[in-house]
């Protein structure tokens, strides 16, 4: 919570995100006293984050003033560093994507070159009232220090510090699967409490939302789902073992056997759902977007529990948009 201006401000803004709201409703839903709500609202209106927007009649008594979020009052940038590609999006305070830019990256980018490309893509999207930049990265990394350890053979690249210096903006770095589940959590609010986001791209990973909180694990690298063993005598995997979900999936996909590729993902996701007892599965990533119906069918067919299985509507932007929403959530978090 490096940017957060106050817990109460975050709680009130989080509640105002879902629609117009009165001061009384804010007090009721936040558990804050009416006096505290008045103070916070006064501050947020003065800063332009909330605006009074008409009144609502409540039967007896005078009509209540409605408050709403000013989506264009603050902005955040989000980036996705993927093998071979860098994507940057601009979002407003409501989390809507307003602009995007994409550029190819070398397979093993030099950290300085990567940061240089980031600065170049960000430049035309710079605006007043920009809160910061989030970066979603394939990992492994340490979210707490913003250090990446997957840039080729180089050990411990302080990606956050390099980017902050080059951009002159606050930066947060997180695993791509984590930013992707942040995007879904941000968009769907309280409806989503126990969910997995399955990202099928260059590898296969999951973002975890458990009990309404993003789960990062002890080393902030939770979600290496693609290296779960799917087949004991299966094909060798890049991780040095064999028969991993990702290796079995990729072999089937390369052979053009989409049914086999989606089936291995479906079976593994069904195991994960049983393990964690989540009720939402969100599918994302290049492979899924290339054949959405096949992946939906492959996963749904293996669910034995009532689980909502869908595809992220943020499509190719989900990781980058989630990285921007991570910045927004550090600023005006989600009430727990
Ligand atoms: Zn593996």
């Amino acid at each position: 919570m490096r940017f957060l201006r106050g817990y109460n401000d975050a709680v009130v803004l989080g509640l105002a995100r879902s629609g117009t709201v009165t001061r009384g409703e804010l007090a009721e839903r936040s558990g804050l006293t009416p006096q505290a709500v008045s103070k916070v609202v006064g501050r947020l209106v003065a800063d332009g984050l909330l605006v009074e927007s008409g009144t609502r009649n409540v039967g007896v008594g005078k009509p209540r003033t409605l408050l709403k979020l000013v989506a264009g009052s603050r902005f955040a940038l989000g980036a996705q560093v993927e093998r071979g590609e860098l994507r940057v999006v601009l979002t407003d305070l409501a989390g809507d994507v307003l602009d995007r830019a994409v550029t190819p990256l070398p397979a093993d980018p030099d950290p300085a070159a990567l940061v240089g490309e980031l600065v170049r893509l960000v430049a035309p999207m710079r605006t007043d009232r920009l809160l910061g930049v989030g970066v979603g990265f394939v990992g492994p990394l340490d979210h707490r220090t913003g250090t990446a350890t997957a840039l080729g053979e180089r050990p411990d690249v302080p990606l956050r510090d390099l980017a902050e210096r080059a951009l002159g903006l606050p930066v947060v770095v997180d695993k791509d699967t984590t930013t992707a589940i942040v995007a879904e959590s941000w968009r769907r609010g309280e409806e989503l409490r126990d969910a997995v986001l399955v990202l099928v791209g260059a590898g296969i990973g999951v973002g975890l939302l458990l009990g309404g909180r993003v789960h990062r694990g002890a080393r902030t690298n939770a979600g290496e789902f693609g290296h779960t063993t799917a087949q004991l005598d299966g094909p060798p995997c890049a991780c040095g073992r064999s028969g991993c979900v990702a290796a079995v999936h990729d072999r089937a996909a390369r052979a053009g056997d989409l049914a086999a590729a989606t089936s291995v993902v479906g079976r593994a996701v069904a195991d994960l759902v049983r393990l964690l007892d989540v009720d939402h599965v969100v599918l994302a990533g290049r492979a899924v977007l290339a054949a959405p119906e096949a992946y939906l069918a492959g996963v749904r067919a293996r669910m034995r529990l009532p689980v909502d299985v869908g595809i992220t509507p943020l499509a190719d932007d989900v990781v980058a948009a989630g990285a921007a929403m991570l910045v927004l959530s550090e600023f005006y978090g989600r009430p727990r």
Side-chain angles (χ1 to χ4, degrees):
M1 290 286 175
R2 299 190 306 142
F3 319 139
L4 199 60
R5 310 165 78 222
Y7 179 74
N8 292 351
D9 292 39
V11 169
V12 167
L13 275 172
L15 290 170
R17 213 171 63 227
S18 48
T20 55
V21 68
T22 67
R23 284 173 177 79
E25 288 163 348
L26 286 171
E28 195 183 301
R29 291 182 207 161
S30 66
L32 298 170
T33 64
Q35 293 82 352
V37 164
S38 259
K39 231 167 111 180
V40 170
V41 166
R43 197 157 59 221
L44 294 171
V45 168
D47 285 350
L49 301 180
L50 286 184
V51 68
E52 292 189 343
S53 168
T55 55
R56 182 188 298 151
N57 290 316
V58 287
V60 292
K62 63 175 182 163
R64 303 288 193 272
T65 304
L66 292 168
L67 296 156
K68 73 171 188 193
L69 190 77
V70 182
S73 64
R74 296 292 185 278
F75 302 92
L77 287 160
Q80 178 183 20
V81 182
E82 215 183 355
R83 287 186 191 99
E85 188 181 284
L86 173 66
R87 172 179 298 258
V88 174
V89 302
L90 174 71
T91 71
D92 62 17
L93 194 53
D96 288 332
V97 174
L98 307 176
D99 198 3
R100 70 173 62 73
V102 183
T103 192
L105 279 182
D108 176 20
D110 170 69
L114 167 61
V115 171
E117 283 297 288
L118 185 61
V119 170
R120 190 174 67 79
L121 288 199
V122 160
M125 295 188 208
R126 274 184 181 264
T127 167
D128 288 349
R129 295 162 293 164
L130 195 55
L131 295 171
V133 184
V135 180
F137 189 74
V138 67
L141 53 83
D142 187 332
H143 161 70
R144 293 158 295 199
T145 60
T147 305
T149 54
L151 293 173
E153 296 302 307
R154 302 171 194 88
D156 293 1
V157 175
L159 191 57
R160 185 185 75 195
D161 294 349
L162 290 173
E164 281 193 345
R165 269 203 296 280
L167 291 163
L169 288 166
V171 173
V172 283
V173 176
D174 216 328
K175 213 168 145 67
D176 53 1
T177 45
T178 298
T179 72
I181 192 77
V182 165
E184 289 299 311
S185 162
W186 190 265
R187 203 173 57 77
R188 292 163 74 168
E190 288 301 307
E191 170 206 346
L192 208 67
R193 291 192 58 79
D194 292 283
V196 295
L197 179 136
V198 185
L199 190 68
V200 189
I204 302 180
V206 298
L208 303 166
L209 186 75
L210 304 175
R213 305 190 65 147
V214 172
H215 178 80
R216 290 188 174 85
R219 282 164 289 269
T220 71
N221 283 301
E224 290 295 319
F225 172 67
H227 300 294
T228 309
T229 304
Q231 189 185 331
L232 288 175
D233 56 350
C237 180
C239 72
R241 304 193 310 157
S242 58
C244 295
V245 170
V248 177
H249 168 270
D250 290 357
R251 182 180 62 180
R254 273 195 306 273
D257 190 347
L258 193 56
T262 59
S263 161
V264 67
V265 171
R267 277 186 285 131
V269 170
D271 289 346
L272 191 64
V273 166
R274 276 198 203 91
L275 179 71
L276 299 173
D277 192 24
V278 295
D279 56 3
H280 288 83
V281 172
V282 184
L283 304 175
R286 281 179 193 168
V288 168
L289 296 174
E293 292 307 323
Y295 279 88
L296 270 180
V299 173
R300 281 181 179 151
R302 276 144 195 102
M303 292 298 140
R304 294 288 176 272
L305 296 164
V307 176
D308 176 71
V309 182
I311 291 180
T312 176
L314 288 163
D316 286 320
D317 287 334
V318 67
V319 170
M325 291 177 221
L326 194 64
V327 174
L328 297 176
S329 71
E330 294 225 0
F331 183 74
Y332 79 128
R334 174 178 162 187
R336 302 197 191 289

